[in-house]
Amino acid sequence: MLLNQNEIIGILKKVLPKTSEEDIRKAAEALTVAAGNWQEVDLKETFGASYSIQCKDICALGEAFDKGQEIKAFIKK
């Protein structure tokens, strides 16, 4: 997960200042649980850019990978 539960709570409090502490906590917990359904994929080993010279020319992600940009990818479990 990109954000931990405390970071989510902080963001929700900032964006929804009139929401109760309990509702903020419930929302943060629900988001944390939902995020648990996703698994990060290691693109260095599985990304097509590692296998194909053409990947960077036909795919925006391949181009970003070729430029050394950091990419995080997740798949649903």
Side-chain angles (χ1 to χ4, degrees), residues 1-12 23-39 74 76-77:
M1 178 176 216
L2 296 175
L3 302 172
N4 66 43
Q5 191 165 345
N6 288 333
E7 291 169 322
I8 293 170
I9 288 171
I11 291 167
L12 291 174
D23 286 344
I24 292 284
R25 184 187 50 75
K26 286 179 183 178
E29 286 177 11
L31 289 168
T32 302
V33 169
N37 294 325
W38 293 87
Q39 174 183 341
F74 296 85
K76 191 160 184 155
K77 293 180 184 177

Side-chain angles (χ1 to χ4, degrees), residues 3-74:
L3 302 172
N4 66 43
Q5 191 165 345
N6 288 333
E7 291 169 322
I8 293 170
I9 288 171
I11 291 167
L12 291 174
K13 284 181 178 181
K14 183 177 179 182
V15 175
L16 304 167
K18 295 180 181 180
T19 305
S20 72
E21 288 284 330
E22 182 180 347
D23 286 344
I24 292 284
R25 184 187 50 75
K26 286 179 183 178
E29 286 177 11
L31 289 168
T32 302
V33 169
N37 294 325
W38 293 87
Q39 174 183 341
E40 187 171 359
V41 179
D42 181 3
L43 293 179
K44 291 186 183 199
E45 295 180 13
T46 59
F47 197 51
S50 300
Y51 306 109
S52 172
I53 297 171
Q54 296 171 326
C55 185
K56 67 180 179 180
D57 297 326
I58 60 175
C59 173
L61 290 175
E63 181 181 3
F65 183 83
D66 186 58
K67 290 179 179 177
Q69 294 176 327
E70 185 176 349
I71 301 169
K72 287 198 179 261
F74 296 85

